[in-house]
Amino acid sequence: DAGVIQSPRHEVTEMGQEVTLRCKPISGHNSLFWYRQTMMRGLELLIYFNNNVPIDDSGMPEDRFSAKMPNASFSTLKIQPSEPRDSAVYFCASSLNTGAEAFFGQGTRLTVV
Amino acid sequence: DQQVKQNSPSLSVQEGRISILNCDYTNSMFDYFLWYKKYPAEGPTFLISISSIKDKNEDGRFTVFLNKSAKHLSLHIVPSQPGDSAVYFCAASAGSSNSGYALNFGKGTSLLVTP
């Protein structure tokens, strides 16, 4: 398996633009997580899905952020409109229900100018 | 509200010596603890874990100790090698098999192993 695949690896966008980050979890995994890494806050859990259903979105910063998981092999994290303070590395991870070990993608480095 | 805390942002150790990375948590519902290692421009990778029913788990040069009464865990690396230089994240979860496990991470400790 290729592991968790995220795209794009890097994204530079202007303030106010819509940004969509994409994730393909490991086949067979039924939990998917979106994390954001910043210097100040470390790795923050934004939202997680179990069997394509959002379980906990309390970490989503505000209404500008939304996430979807239309099927077991794809998820998106959308920021609309984007702001400079959204600049961070966004990680997607997936795991099996039977174990807490989550496997991470390589991340998307987002820069909002 | 940070439920998992790594109070040392950085640590420098000489090659061959022991590296000890510490982690504290506040949520008594946490029952599974993990350490992840992260190199620059890569995602975190799983290193070692421990369940709350144990107080020690060893895997080669890596040992994790858990002190539930103190809500404290530590990762020992012996002997340390230059390739161990990375950021180490402590994580904890209190999930269930019905809804999956969500990991709560600390801010990380940057370990530098010098030759």
Side-chain angles (χ1 to χ4, degrees):
Chain A
D1 199 316
V4 176
I5 300 173
Q6 290 186 246
S7 64
R9 288 294 310 276
H10 302 274
E11 176 79 39
V12 180
T13 190
E14 290 187 346
M15 182 174 67
Q17 296 297 305
E18 176 181 298
V19 175
T20 299
L21 311 182
R22 297 172 175 79
C23 176
K24 181 182 188 311
I26 292 172
S27 177
H29 282 190
N30 46 17
S31 291
L32 182 139
F33 310 85
W34 282 101
Y35 286 90
R36 176 171 70 174
Q37 184 187 14
T38 61
M39 290 293 292
M40 290 294 292
R41 302 175 73 89
L43 270 169
E44 301 175 85
L45 177 65
L46 300 177
I47 184 171
Y48 86 96
F49 297 83
N50 186 252
N51 293 322
N52 311 340
V53 175
I55 301 298
D56 183 357
D57 65 355
S58 59
M60 296 286 260
E62 47 197 275
D63 291 346
R64 298 184 296 107
F65 286 69
S66 62
K68 293 182 179 179
M69 191 164 187
N71 57 62
S73 58
F74 184 65
S75 177
T76 59
L77 177 68
K78 186 177 293 186
I79 308 172
Q80 164 64 16
S82 58
E83 296 182 2
R85 61 193 167 118
D86 302 330
S87 298
V89 181
Y90 291 81
F91 288 102
C92 176
S94 68
S95 71
L96 286 168
N97 268 359
T98 52
E101 178 188 341
F103 295 81
F104 281 77
Q106 291 191 295
T108 295
R109 179 173 291 279
L110 173 65
T111 302
V112 183
V113 297
Chain B
D1 179 28
Q2 198 86 21
Q3 298 186 71
V4 177
K5 299 176 183 179
Q6 294 177 257
N7 293 319
S8 297
S10 63
L11 175 67
S12 183
V13 171
Q14 267 192 326
E15 182 178 6
R17 306 293 286 266
I18 184 172
S19 295
I20 300 176
L21 295 95
N22 293 303
C23 176
D24 299 292
Y25 61 96
T26 58
N27 189 339
S28 57
M29 298 299 290
F30 288 150
D31 56 6
Y32 198 72
F33 305 89
L34 307 88
W35 285 94
Y36 278 77
K37 179 178 181 180
K38 185 183 179 305
Y39 292 117
E42 295 184 10
T45 56
F46 170 73
L47 187 59
I48 192 170
S49 63
I50 188 166
S51 163
S52 59
I53 62 173
K54 295 186 175 182
D55 55 19
K56 177 182 174 181
N57 188 27
E58 192 172 351
D59 183 2
R61 297 186 296 113
F62 302 91
T63 303
V64 57
F65 295 92
L66 175 62
N67 182 335
K68 287 193 297 281
S69 60
K71 293 191 177 70
H72 177 84
L73 64 154
S74 61
L75 174 68
H76 292 211
I77 307 174
V78 184
S80 301
Q81 299 174 353
D84 296 330
S85 298
V87 177
Y88 289 79
F89 288 96
C90 172
S93 85
S96 72
S97 60
N98 290 329
S99 60
Y101 297 79
L103 296 177
N104 294 271
F105 282 86
K107 290 186 179 181
T109 296
S110 179
L111 173 66
L112 176 64
V113 180
T114 57

